[in-house]
Amino acid sequence: MQQARSGAVRKGFLRYQAGRKLMTSTRVDYRVVVIPCCCITKFYECLGCAELHAWYHTRNRARVLPPTALEIMSSERQYRREIASFGKMLHERGYVAAMDGNLSVRLDERRILATPTAMSKSMMRPSDMVIVDLEGRHISGRRAVSSEIAMHLLIYKLRPDVQGIVHAHPPTATGFAAAGIALNQPLVCEVVIGLGSIPLAKYGTPGTPELTEALEPLIPQFDAILMSNHGVVTYADTLHHAYMKMETVEHFSQIALVTHLLGRQQPLGHEELEKLMLARSKYQGSKSAAPLPLAVGCGEAGNHREVARCDSETSSPESAPKSRRAVTRHR
């Protein structure tokens, strides 16, 4: 009995030595250290103490986590870093100011990782994030969750394909939202392919059911929404794609603003939109299922080919008498 016990201790010691050697060789090798259940909630905060944890729990022969749980823990650490990184990018590009905006990621079927309230997105650390359930109840994290978490939860509920959400206040796009103007004109091919149309939701007070009620009819159909007098929310299959959609919205709004200042727009016509619909299914960077914006028709300011087609239709034999009458009236 004593011999078996000493053999087990020796085996555990050798296992610790092997883990220690791997840990000290490279940072990536930290993943080989088996961290027990009692440490999982603190592992992201005590990465430097992983060796001590391994020694303590090997010595005391504590129960260890299965590999699947370790993979989940590793993914959560990665999501925390991503949220902190994209939050900093939002602030650097002027898409948020002070403590505005919020981001979130769906961890699994019952947990959401989100940014905390009352904190600048440029100053967040991975350990500052909070975890809530699908009812918005706080599960873990030292800080409080954002008051706008209900908007995120509604999107996750209505869109099972969504894994990441970004809410920000990019100046130009928010200006359109404050002016009550939707970004629904087919002016740029890439925007039509990637986002389709960007609708405008009616105003709802942030952090109240009014906001979710205003967004609910639009969430199933669109991947980016302007919120009247508020800002923009984008969502996608990853947080990275959701952030990219936010950049696209702001870039497109700047282009649309230029066309307003120039006093002229040339939206794409029916034929061009049909081709873009086919291109959308082949376009590697787009997974959007949002409907395309309405095509411009004859008599509206369309592109050159559409105008030429309309001119040819009005100059056809069937329309010739009507044109002559119009000229006579003009004289």
Side-chain angles (χ1 to χ4, degrees):
M1 184 68 179
Q2 184 67 24
Q3 184 177 2
R5 172 183 258 179
S6 61
V9 172
R10 176 65 178 171
K11 184 177 180 181
F13 177 76
L14 291 176
R15 181 183 181 187
Y16 159 68
Q17 290 288 356
R20 181 180 181 183
K21 182 178 180 181
L22 286 170
M23 282 192 330
T24 55
S25 62
T26 174
R27 182 178 180 83
V28 178
D29 290 330
Y30 275 108
R31 303 175 95 182
V32 304
V33 180
V34 179
I35 305 299
C37 301
C38 56
C39 299
I40 188 169
T41 58
K42 294 292 183 180
F43 184 68
Y44 62 87
E45 296 178 354
C46 58
L47 190 61
C49 300
E51 183 176 355
L52 177 61
H53 280 266
W55 172 81
Y56 176 81
H57 291 292
T58 300
R59 181 178 179 182
N60 288 274
R61 293 179 292 174
R63 183 172 64 86
V64 297
L65 292 173
T68 53
L70 287 175
E71 292 174 2
I72 293 174
M73 183 172 61
S74 177
S75 298
E76 181 182 321
R77 294 208 316 273
Q78 180 61 31
Y79 289 143
R80 289 174 179 272
R81 295 191 188 103
E82 286 185 4
I83 292 178
S85 176
F86 287 122
K88 185 175 181 180
M89 291 172 68
L90 287 173
H91 190 272
E92 289 175 347
R93 284 160 174 75
Y95 292 0
V96 293
M99 297 177 286
D100 296 346
N102 36 76
L103 306 88
S104 71
V105 170
R106 190 200 302 262
L107 290 178
D108 50 44
E109 295 180 354
R110 62 182 185 86
R111 297 184 305 150
I112 305 299
L113 181 68
T115 51
T117 188
M119 188 171 190
S120 171
K121 302 303 168 288
S122 65
M123 300 179 181
M124 294 187 305
R125 298 175 300 174
S127 59
D128 291 322
M129 310 308 163
V130 296
I131 297 179
V132 298
D133 62 15
L134 294 181
E135 302 299 324
R137 291 186 290 262
H138 188 278
I139 295 178
S140 65
R142 299 189 302 268
R143 298 180 178 273
V145 69
S146 169
S147 60
E148 293 185 315
I149 190 65
M151 173 177 63
H152 294 246
L153 299 177
L154 177 65
I155 295 173
Y156 288 125
K157 178 182 177 181
L158 298 179
R159 293 286 297 272
D161 59 308
V162 169
Q163 300 297 322
I165 300 173
V166 176
H167 166 52
H169 306 152
T172 312
T174 304
F176 274 85
I181 304 174
L183 295 170
N184 55 7
Q185 290 293 317
L187 299 174
V188 181
C189 299
E190 289 76 11
V191 177
V192 172
I193 291 176
L195 287 174
S197 181
I198 306 169
L200 175 69
K202 64 180 183 180
Y203 177 76
T205 305
T208 69
E210 292 179 2
L211 180 60
T212 55
E213 291 173 2
L215 293 173
E216 188 170 2
L218 301 174
I219 290 172
Q221 298 184 49
F222 301 94
D223 296 337
I225 302 174
L226 299 182
M227 295 179 284
S228 294
N229 305 95
H230 187 177
V232 184
V233 61
T234 58
Y235 36 93
D237 57 337
T238 66
L239 184 64
H240 178 229
H241 289 161
Y243 172 80
M244 289 300 184
K245 290 180 186 293
M246 182 64 70
E247 281 198 353
T248 300
V249 170
E250 177 63 5
H251 184 63
F252 177 51
S253 65
Q254 292 172 3
I255 295 173
L257 177 60
V258 172
T259 64
H260 282 285
L261 294 175
L262 294 175
R264 183 179 181 185
Q265 290 184 330
Q266 288 189 328
L268 298 169
H270 295 281
E271 182 180 348
E272 286 70 29
L273 287 181
E274 289 175 1
K275 293 179 181 178
L276 290 177
M277 178 64 81
L278 295 175
R280 174 187 278 189
S281 61
K282 304 175 183 178
Y283 191 63
Q284 187 175 3
S286 173
K287 296 184 179 180
S288 174
L292 293 179
L294 296 176
V296 63
C298 294
E300 300 179 36
N303 66 14
H304 296 294
R305 283 178 295 177
E306 191 74 16
V307 171
R309 185 167 65 85
C310 291
D311 290 342
S312 64
E313 291 176 356
T314 56
S315 62
S316 62
E318 293 81 359
S319 60
K322 183 177 180 180
S323 299
R324 284 196 295 270
R325 288 195 297 271
V327 173
T328 304
R329 286 198 302 270
H330 178 70
R331 290 178 181 173

